[in-house]
Amino acid sequence: MKYADLHPNIRIRIITDFFTDLTQKSIIPFMAIYLSVQIGAGLAGLLLTVNIVASMIVGLGAGHWSDRIGRKKLMVIAQSLQVVALLCLAIANSPWMDSIIVTCLMFLLSSLSSGITVPIANAMIVDVSSEHERHYVYGLQYWTTNVAVTFGALMGGLFFESFRFLLFSLVCLESMATLFILVFMIQETMDKRVYNTTGQSKDSDPSNRLMEANGPIQRNILKTYWAVFQDKRFMIFFTATVLAVSLEFQLDKYIAVRLKNEFTAQLFGSDISGLHMFSLIMVINTVLVALVAIPYSRWIGRFPSRSIMTFGMLLYTAGFTVLAFSNWAWLLILSAILLTIGELMYAPVRQVTLAGMIPDSDRAAYMAADGLSYNVAALLGSLGLTIGAFLPTYAMAGLYVLMGLGALVFFRMLLRKPEEQNEHLPCADAS
């Protein structure tokens, strides 16, 4: 599999998604600090919560409507809103104007734009990729996302505090270029053959639809997501994702705080603090992903998905479990390597599994619902910090083991052979 062999939409989306992620990661992590200084930590936290909830809501709406009116229209609308938001952010933080109110409003608009774009972009990739391509595509996407996070954090660190006008101007220009590409180069990918002119499904495969062929497809949004969350196979997948991703959200919360409070050691003859150790773990994760993600995704694609998922989740869980209690520097470094390798194995398989189980007629809706799993996982990550204040480190490690093994059990249920799925999941088809 080569990059040039992919559908043009996928090649373009991988590039534009890189710059979109770069934009978001150069702003969002630093906006929390900026707002805390400008309006106080309490109001800043409330505003960020409103942004997350609003992004979730519009994402669900975007997923529903994208499956009915097409991907490209909504993506162009969302990107246009992003351009307006970033342009106004630049003006509101320019030498001629300094408005915290406009900054807050435009930051919300930017979050809404991202909430619309993400599920649609994910559905678009599924629209035009085959099953054998997806290991490579998702491995490549995972790599570009991590590289974008690294460079975005670097840009934000250099420019956000003292050169916000320059930063917002640069990302606004990038957003304008992305809008141009969407308008003139991206093709519509929603298969209109899924629907006929009366609004009824023409998909003859019962496993690839949410309703009977003679049932109404033009449902309202509540009925759409009621059907999605009644899909038993998807809810098993949703639960597995929440458990797995919750471990990832522990890294910059409970684990970071624990290391700061408990860890001191010498490495290469130098004293290192817990914060230094946490930074080293993050660097190891980023560098490994940047160096090996693409060739690694090609290599593991040769093996059965169930085996890759099993071995990957075991390494991933083991890595986080050790980080929960150990204060031995070299063991922490080894754990960082193990969890990164494990994540490189399980994450593409997770995406491929999702792409293969969702019905053609509601791809974007399922992608939006999948996005909720990350929000739930983020809440559990924050809860882990609270629980960790009362539990000893070994108890937290045991909790991580249960979460990781629970995710593995649910993922393996979904990766059974078709005849095994029918035996163990008799009601697995979408309702």
Side-chain angles (χ1 to χ4, degrees), residues 314-354:
L314 289 175
L315 291 178
Y316 182 76
T317 303
F320 277 104
T321 299
V322 173
L323 291 181
F325 71 88
S326 177
N327 288 313
W328 183 23
W330 287 109
L331 184 57
L332 292 173
I333 290 172
L334 176 61
S335 298
I337 295 171
L338 290 179
L339 74 87
T340 302
I341 294 173
E343 188 174 3
L344 286 170
M345 296 179 75
Y346 104 83
V349 175
R350 193 204 81 89
Q351 288 292 109
V352 172
T353 303
L354 174 63

Side-chain angles (χ1 to χ4, degrees), residues 388-428:
F390 301 96
L391 294 181
T393 56
Y394 288 99
M396 289 299 292
L399 185 60
Y400 289 2
V401 170
L402 292 177
M403 291 166 65
L405 293 182
L408 175 58
V409 168
F410 286 125
F411 278 131
R412 283 179 61 86
M413 289 173 64
L414 296 170
L415 292 170
R416 289 191 180 107
K417 296 178 181 178
E419 60 271 18
E420 292 177 332
Q421 290 178 5
N422 292 335
E423 178 183 349
H424 293 275
L425 292 170
C427 299

